[in-house]
Amino acid sequence: GTPPQDATANAAHAETSGSLSEGTLIADGLRLVGREPIRIPGSPANAWNAGGAMSLVLWLKPISTANEMTLVHRPGAAGFRLGLAAGGAPFVEVDGQARAVATGTVADNTWRQLAVTAADGKVTLYLDGAEAAVLNAPLPGGDGPIFLGGPDPAVS
């Protein structure tokens, strides 16, 4: 019931808590429910340099892939979004660029690993460790808030 806390000296604590899910694949996890995202405030500690490098790895088990869902969203002038399209195909998008969508899908109630890397002017999406899609766009810079799950409440 309390927001996740950053154990490093950066103290980039989340502002909202989400729902605890006990007994997930690795210890306890986070349940992302509809329109209740976890908000991590912007800070120099979690800033992305435009055109820089970034890696992000998630384990997920969607209850239903009937509707599109957002997993990670960093809004802004050149926003970034990682999610699942309706039907379970992972996607990554950067504002102003065509969405890169994986050919493989994530099934309901099945654990899968989803990862994204950004480097050398491209954003690469991986499903279970295999390259699934590439977006020919550099990582957008930004130091604003990051949302895990749900839409950006400032825009909704």
Side-chain angles (χ1 to χ4, degrees):
T2 59
Q5 301 292 295
D6 180 359
T8 71
N10 295 321
H13 307 307
E15 294 178 339
T16 53
S17 62
S19 301
L20 178 67
S21 181
E22 295 181 359
T24 62
L25 189 61
I26 303 172
D28 291 336
L30 178 64
R31 177 168 290 169
L32 300 174
V33 182
R35 301 179 66 80
E36 301 172 11
I38 303 297
R39 184 180 193 279
I40 302 168
S43 74
N46 62 26
W48 294 350
N49 294 323
M54 178 271 290
S55 295
L56 174 69
V57 180
L58 308 169
W59 281 95
L60 64 143
K61 181 183 174 185
I63 294 170
S64 172
T65 56
N67 298 312
E68 183 168 300
M69 67 183 78
T70 297
L71 301 170
V72 178
H73 182 208
R74 177 168 241 170
F80 172 91
R81 192 161 72 112
L82 171 66
L84 295 180
F91 69 83
V92 63
E93 61 187 27
V94 172
D95 286 351
Q97 302 294 319
R99 174 186 283 189
V101 181
T103 55
T105 60
V106 174
D108 295 352
N109 295 306
T110 303
W111 283 108
R112 302 295 293 272
Q113 184 191 59
L114 191 59
V116 177
T117 62
D120 302 322
K122 67 180 183 175
V123 179
T124 307
L125 179 63
Y126 298 87
L127 182 58
D128 297 329
E131 186 175 293
V134 176
L135 181 63
N136 288 313
L139 178 69
D143 61 359
I146 299 172
F147 297 91
L148 305 179
D152 171 6
V155 179
S156 301

